[in-house]
Short mmCIF file of all heavy atoms in Angstrom, two decimals:
data_model
loop_
_atom_site.label_atom_id
_atom_site.label_comp_id
_atom_site.label_asym_id
_atom_site.label_seq_id
_atom_site.Cartn_x
_atom_site.Cartn_y
_atom_site.Cartn_z
N ARG A 380 11.96 21.46 -4.97
CA ARG A 380 12.20 21.64 -3.53
C ARG A 380 12.94 22.94 -3.26
O ARG A 380 12.52 23.75 -2.41
CB ARG A 380 12.99 20.46 -2.97
CG ARG A 380 13.22 20.55 -1.45
CD ARG A 380 14.11 19.43 -0.96
NE ARG A 380 15.48 19.57 -1.45
CZ ARG A 380 16.39 20.37 -0.89
NH1 ARG A 380 16.07 21.13 0.17
NH2 ARG A 380 17.60 20.44 -1.37
N VAL A 381 14.04 23.17 -3.97
CA VAL A 381 14.89 24.32 -3.69
C VAL A 381 14.21 25.63 -4.06
O VAL A 381 14.23 26.60 -3.28
CB VAL A 381 16.23 24.17 -4.44
CG1 VAL A 381 17.07 25.44 -4.31
CG2 VAL A 381 17.01 22.97 -3.93
N GLU A 382 13.59 25.67 -5.24
CA GLU A 382 13.05 26.93 -5.73
C GLU A 382 11.61 27.19 -5.31
O GLU A 382 11.18 28.35 -5.26
CB GLU A 382 13.15 26.96 -7.27
CG GLU A 382 14.58 26.89 -7.78
CD GLU A 382 14.66 26.88 -9.31
OE1 GLU A 382 13.59 27.08 -9.96
OE2 GLU A 382 15.76 26.65 -9.84
N HIS A 383 10.87 26.13 -5.01
CA HIS A 383 9.43 26.32 -4.74
C HIS A 383 8.96 25.73 -3.41
O HIS A 383 7.78 25.85 -3.09
CB HIS A 383 8.61 25.71 -5.88
CG HIS A 383 8.87 26.35 -7.21
ND1 HIS A 383 8.22 27.49 -7.63
CD2 HIS A 383 9.71 26.01 -8.22
CE1 HIS A 383 8.64 27.83 -8.84
NE2 HIS A 383 9.56 26.94 -9.22
N GLY A 384 9.85 25.08 -2.67
CA GLY A 384 9.45 24.52 -1.38
C GLY A 384 8.49 23.36 -1.50
O GLY A 384 7.68 23.12 -0.60
N ILE A 385 8.58 22.64 -2.62
CA ILE A 385 7.70 21.49 -2.85
C ILE A 385 8.50 20.21 -2.67
O ILE A 385 9.48 19.98 -3.39
CB ILE A 385 7.06 21.55 -4.25
CG1 ILE A 385 6.11 22.75 -4.31
CG2 ILE A 385 6.31 20.26 -4.56
CD1 ILE A 385 5.60 23.07 -5.69
N TYR A 386 8.08 19.41 -1.73
CA TYR A 386 8.81 18.21 -1.34
C TYR A 386 8.10 16.97 -1.87
O TYR A 386 6.95 16.70 -1.54
CB TYR A 386 8.92 18.12 0.18
CG TYR A 386 9.90 19.11 0.77
CD1 TYR A 386 9.59 20.46 0.85
CD2 TYR A 386 11.15 18.68 1.23
CE1 TYR A 386 10.49 21.38 1.39
CE2 TYR A 386 12.05 19.59 1.77
CZ TYR A 386 11.72 20.93 1.84
OH TYR A 386 12.63 21.83 2.36
N MET A 387 8.81 16.21 -2.71
CA MET A 387 8.33 14.91 -3.14
C MET A 387 9.52 13.97 -3.22
O MET A 387 10.68 14.41 -3.24
CB MET A 387 7.60 14.99 -4.49
CG MET A 387 8.43 15.43 -5.66
SD MET A 387 7.50 15.48 -7.24
CE MET A 387 6.34 16.82 -6.96
N VAL A 388 9.27 12.67 -3.24
CA VAL A 388 10.33 11.68 -3.28
C VAL A 388 11.12 11.85 -4.57
O VAL A 388 10.59 12.30 -5.60
CB VAL A 388 9.74 10.26 -3.16
CG1 VAL A 388 10.84 9.20 -3.15
CG2 VAL A 388 8.91 10.16 -1.89
N GLY A 389 12.42 11.49 -4.53
CA GLY A 389 13.33 11.74 -5.64
C GLY A 389 12.90 11.13 -6.96
O GLY A 389 13.25 11.64 -8.02
N ASP A 390 12.12 10.04 -6.92
CA ASP A 390 11.66 9.44 -8.17
C ASP A 390 10.41 10.12 -8.69
O ASP A 390 9.80 9.65 -9.64
CB ASP A 390 11.43 7.94 -7.99
CG ASP A 390 10.30 7.61 -7.02
OD1 ASP A 390 9.68 8.55 -6.48
OD2 ASP A 390 10.03 6.42 -6.80
N SER A 391 10.02 11.23 -8.07
CA SER A 391 8.88 12.08 -8.42
C SER A 391 7.54 11.50 -7.99
O SER A 391 6.50 11.91 -8.48
CB SER A 391 8.85 12.44 -9.91
OG SER A 391 8.42 11.40 -10.74
N ARG A 392 7.58 10.57 -7.01
CA ARG A 392 6.31 10.14 -6.41
C ARG A 392 5.77 11.27 -5.55
O ARG A 392 6.49 11.82 -4.71
CB ARG A 392 6.52 8.91 -5.52
CG ARG A 392 5.20 8.37 -4.96
CD ARG A 392 5.39 7.48 -3.75
NE ARG A 392 5.52 8.24 -2.51
CZ ARG A 392 5.46 7.71 -1.28
NH1 ARG A 392 5.30 6.41 -1.16
NH2 ARG A 392 5.60 8.46 -0.21
N MET A 393 4.52 11.60 -5.75
CA MET A 393 3.90 12.63 -4.92
C MET A 393 2.61 12.13 -4.30
O MET A 393 1.87 11.37 -4.92
CB MET A 393 3.67 13.92 -5.72
CG MET A 393 2.81 13.77 -6.94
SD MET A 393 2.63 15.37 -7.79
CE MET A 393 1.57 14.90 -9.15
N ASN A 394 2.38 12.58 -3.10
CA ASN A 394 1.18 12.21 -2.36
C ASN A 394 0.09 13.23 -2.66
O ASN A 394 0.14 14.37 -2.19
CB ASN A 394 1.48 12.17 -0.86
CG ASN A 394 0.26 11.78 -0.04
OD1 ASN A 394 -0.79 11.47 -0.57
ND2 ASN A 394 0.41 11.81 1.28
N ILE A 395 -0.90 12.81 -3.45
CA ILE A 395 -1.99 13.71 -3.84
C ILE A 395 -2.74 14.23 -2.62
O ILE A 395 -3.23 15.37 -2.61
CB ILE A 395 -2.96 12.97 -4.79
CG1 ILE A 395 -2.25 12.58 -6.10
CG2 ILE A 395 -4.19 13.81 -5.09
CD1 ILE A 395 -1.77 13.75 -6.93
N ALA A 396 -2.81 13.41 -1.57
CA ALA A 396 -3.53 13.82 -0.36
C ALA A 396 -2.79 14.91 0.41
O ALA A 396 -3.34 15.46 1.37
CB ALA A 396 -3.77 12.61 0.55
N GLY A 397 -1.56 15.24 0.00
CA GLY A 397 -0.86 16.36 0.62
C GLY A 397 -1.27 17.71 0.06
O GLY A 397 -0.78 18.75 0.50
N LEU A 398 -2.18 17.69 -0.92
CA LEU A 398 -2.66 18.92 -1.55
C LEU A 398 -4.00 19.34 -0.99
O LEU A 398 -4.69 18.57 -0.32
CB LEU A 398 -2.80 18.70 -3.06
CG LEU A 398 -1.51 18.46 -3.85
CD1 LEU A 398 -1.85 17.95 -5.26
CD2 LEU A 398 -0.67 19.72 -3.91
N ASN A 399 -4.39 20.57 -1.30
CA ASN A 399 -5.76 21.02 -1.11
C ASN A 399 -6.09 21.97 -2.25
O ASN A 399 -5.23 22.25 -3.11
CB ASN A 399 -5.96 21.68 0.27
CG ASN A 399 -5.04 22.87 0.50
OD1 ASN A 399 -4.86 23.71 -0.38
ND2 ASN A 399 -4.44 22.93 1.68
N GLU A 400 -7.30 22.47 -2.29
CA GLU A 400 -7.72 23.30 -3.43
C GLU A 400 -6.85 24.53 -3.61
O GLU A 400 -6.65 25.00 -4.73
CB GLU A 400 -9.19 23.71 -3.27
CG GLU A 400 -10.18 22.55 -3.43
CD GLU A 400 -11.61 23.02 -3.33
OE1 GLU A 400 -11.84 24.25 -3.16
OE2 GLU A 400 -12.53 22.18 -3.44
N ALA A 401 -6.30 25.06 -2.50
CA ALA A 401 -5.49 26.27 -2.57
C ALA A 401 -4.08 25.99 -3.06
O ALA A 401 -3.46 26.84 -3.71
CB ALA A 401 -5.45 26.95 -1.21
N THR A 402 -3.54 24.81 -2.75
CA THR A 402 -2.15 24.52 -3.11
C THR A 402 -2.01 23.87 -4.49
O THR A 402 -0.91 23.85 -5.04
CB THR A 402 -1.49 23.61 -2.06
OG1 THR A 402 -2.27 22.41 -1.91
CG2 THR A 402 -1.39 24.32 -0.72
N VAL A 403 -3.10 23.37 -5.05
CA VAL A 403 -3.02 22.76 -6.39
C VAL A 403 -2.48 23.75 -7.43
O VAL A 403 -1.57 23.42 -8.20
CB VAL A 403 -4.39 22.19 -6.82
CG1 VAL A 403 -4.41 21.93 -8.33
CG2 VAL A 403 -4.69 20.90 -6.08
N PRO A 404 -3.01 25.00 -7.51
CA PRO A 404 -2.46 25.95 -8.49
C PRO A 404 -0.99 26.26 -8.25
O PRO A 404 -0.23 26.48 -9.21
CB PRO A 404 -3.33 27.19 -8.30
CG PRO A 404 -4.59 26.70 -7.67
CD PRO A 404 -4.17 25.57 -6.78
N ILE A 405 -0.57 26.30 -6.99
CA ILE A 405 0.84 26.56 -6.67
C ILE A 405 1.71 25.44 -7.21
O ILE A 405 2.76 25.68 -7.83
CB ILE A 405 1.02 26.71 -5.14
CG1 ILE A 405 0.21 27.92 -4.62
CG2 ILE A 405 2.49 26.85 -4.78
CD1 ILE A 405 0.17 28.01 -3.11
N LEU A 406 1.30 24.22 -6.98
CA LEU A 406 2.06 23.07 -7.47
C LEU A 406 2.09 23.06 -8.99
O LEU A 406 3.15 22.84 -9.60
CB LEU A 406 1.44 21.76 -6.96
CG LEU A 406 2.03 20.48 -7.55
CD1 LEU A 406 3.51 20.35 -7.22
CD2 LEU A 406 1.25 19.26 -7.07
N ALA A 407 0.95 23.28 -9.62
CA ALA A 407 0.88 23.24 -11.08
C ALA A 407 1.82 24.27 -11.70
O ALA A 407 2.56 23.96 -12.65
CB ALA A 407 -0.56 23.48 -11.54
N LYS A 408 1.82 25.48 -11.17
CA LYS A 408 2.70 26.53 -11.70
C LYS A 408 4.16 26.13 -11.52
O LYS A 408 4.99 26.33 -12.42
CB LYS A 408 2.42 27.85 -11.01
CG LYS A 408 3.24 29.03 -11.56
CD LYS A 408 2.87 30.33 -10.90
CE LYS A 408 3.63 31.50 -11.54
NZ LYS A 408 5.09 31.35 -11.49
N ALA A 409 4.50 25.55 -10.37
CA ALA A 409 5.88 25.15 -10.11
C ALA A 409 6.31 24.06 -11.06
O ALA A 409 7.45 24.06 -11.56
CB ALA A 409 6.02 24.69 -8.66
N ILE A 410 5.43 23.10 -11.33
CA ILE A 410 5.76 22.01 -12.25
C ILE A 410 6.09 22.56 -13.63
O ILE A 410 7.07 22.13 -14.27
CB ILE A 410 4.58 21.01 -12.33
CG1 ILE A 410 4.48 20.20 -11.03
CG2 ILE A 410 4.73 20.07 -13.52
CD1 ILE A 410 3.24 19.32 -10.94
#
Side-chain angles (χ1 to χ4, degrees):
R380 183 185 68 82
V381 173
E382 298 178 8
H383 298 275
I385 294 170
Y386 287 74
M387 64 179 67
V388 182
D390 65 1
S391 76
R392 185 199 83 168
M393 58 181 181
N394 180 5
I395 296 296
L398 294 167
N399 57 45
E400 290 183 1
T402 57
V403 164
I405 297 172
L406 172 62
K408 184 177 184 303
I410 288 173

